[in-house]
Amino acid sequence: MKLLHRKLRRDIRRQRAQFGAVAVTVFLGAFMFGLSLDAFKNLEASYDSSFVRYQFANFTIDGGDSRSIANEVAATEGVEATTSRVQADVPFAVGKDKLLGRVVGFPTGRRPAVNDLDVIEGTYLRQSQPDGVIVDQNMSEAFEIGVGDSVQVVGAGGPVEVEILGIGASPEYFWPARSRQDLIPAPKDFGVLYVPEKLAETVAGLTGPNQVVAYYDGGDDSKELDSELASTADEGGASGSFTRAEQPSNGALE
C-alpha cells in the first residue's frame, strides 16, 4: 500500500494539470447538478401551488347537456367546486395577423370557482364593459399586445371588436397547447382570450355553457372520482372528457 500511495503522489506531481482538470470537472458537475435539482424542485413546488391557488380542474367535460352534467358533478361526493362555461375556437385578427384562437367564458361579477387566473397587468373583467377581455400572457407576448389594445374576434354573428382590459396567466395555458393533438402550435397560430360569459355565448353561437370543469377536495387527484365523472359525462351525452393529467398544457409540461 505504501508503494501504491508513493506512486499516486508521484503521478499527481507529474500530471498536476490533468489531475486538477479532472477535480474541477467533477466539482463543477456536482455543483451544476445541485443547482439544477434545486431549481427544478422550486419550479415544481411553484407549479403545484398554482393548481391549488387557482383551483385548476381535476376533470373536464366537453359537450352534452352541460347544465345537467354540472348539477350531477356538483352533487358528487369529493367534488369541492364545479363551473360550467363556454369554450370555443374562433378566428381572431390581431392587426394584420389572423389565427384560429380560443375564447373562454368567465363571469364578470365574480371570479370562477374552478380554473381561475392571475391578472398580472390591468384589471379583471367588468360588468360595465361587456366587450372587455383578458388576453393570455402567451398571446400577449407573441403579438406584443397589452392593456388598451384591440383584437377582432370573428364569431357566429360576425366580427366583434374587443378591448384588452388585462393580461392573465392561467394553469390551463402555462404552456399554450391547443389540444392533445397540437401540443406545440407556432407562437402566432394560437391564442386565448378570457371573455365575459355573454360575449362567449354570442361569439360561439350558443345559448348556454358547453363545458364543465370540476375541482376535487383539496385539489387531490382521484381515480375513483375520475371514473365516476367519466360515467356522468357519458350519461349526459358529452363529446369527451379528460383528467388533469391529460389536460394539454399540463400534459405537455409534465
Side-chain angles (χ1 to χ4, degrees):
M1 291 301 292
K2 288 182 179 179
L3 288 173
L4 287 176
H5 289 158
R6 190 180 302 162
K7 183 178 183 302
L8 176 61
R9 287 194 296 271
R10 287 174 179 173
D11 288 342
I12 291 174
R13 281 197 299 269
R14 279 198 302 265
Q15 298 177 312
R16 246 182 238 125
Q18 292 92 328
F19 182 81
V22 170
V24 170
T25 300
V26 171
F27 170 77
L28 288 177
F31 181 70
M32 291 301 294
F33 174 78
L35 283 180
S36 299
L37 181 62
D38 188 52
F40 171 76
K41 290 295 184 182
N42 286 337
L43 180 61
E44 186 177 43
S46 176
Y47 188 55
D48 290 343
S49 68
S50 70
F51 287 4
V52 176
R53 182 177 179 184
Y54 302 110
Q55 305 220 153
F56 182 37
N58 294 90
F59 202 81
T60 302
I61 300 172
D62 290 322
D65 186 351
S66 293
R67 286 195 175 94
S68 176
I69 291 173
N71 290 334
E72 289 287 334
V73 171
T76 303
E77 186 176 353
V79 174
E80 181 178 320
T82 306
T83 293
S84 54
R85 64 185 191 177
V86 171
Q87 177 178 289
D89 289 356
V90 295
F92 291 172
V94 185
K96 295 181 180 178
D97 294 309
K98 293 179 173 57
L99 66 149
L100 182 63
R102 175 169 296 166
V103 293
V104 181
F106 267 56
T108 53
R110 54 182 173 78
R111 303 297 284 262
V114 183
N115 285 350
D116 196 3
L117 55 77
D118 179 24
V119 180
I120 57 180
E121 186 178 329
T123 65
Y124 185 69
L125 303 177
R126 297 192 286 259
Q127 289 179 319
S128 61
Q129 198 160 355
D131 61 347
V133 305
I134 296 173
V135 63
D136 185 74
Q137 182 181 20
N138 295 294
M139 181 177 173
S140 171
E141 292 173 354
F143 291 92
E144 297 182 350
I145 53 177
V147 177
D149 292 329
S150 296
V151 175
Q152 189 179 79
V153 178
V154 184
V160 179
E161 199 81 16
V162 298
E163 181 183 347
I164 296 172
L165 300 179
I167 299 172
S170 165
E172 280 191 277
Y173 299 102
F174 280 161
W175 178 262
R178 185 193 303 275
S179 67
R180 281 169 283 180
Q181 292 72 41
D182 188 8
L183 291 178
I184 312 177
K188 290 193 174 184
D189 280 354
F190 180 64
V192 180
L193 293 176
Y194 308 101
V195 311
E197 290 172 322
K198 289 297 182 184
L199 178 58
E201 290 181 4
T202 300
V203 167
L206 299 173
T207 57
N210 64 350
Q211 188 178 73
V212 177
V213 288
Y215 181 77
Y216 300 165
D217 288 345
D220 296 327
D221 291 326
S222 166
K223 291 183 178 180
E224 292 76 13
L225 272 176
D226 291 343
S227 178
E228 189 172 351
L229 296 194
S231 296
T232 299
D234 290 339
E235 292 169 4
S239 59
S241 62
F242 52 88
T243 65
R244 177 189 284 174
E246 297 168 328
Q247 198 272 342
S249 175
N250 184 45
L253 287 175
E254 288 291 348

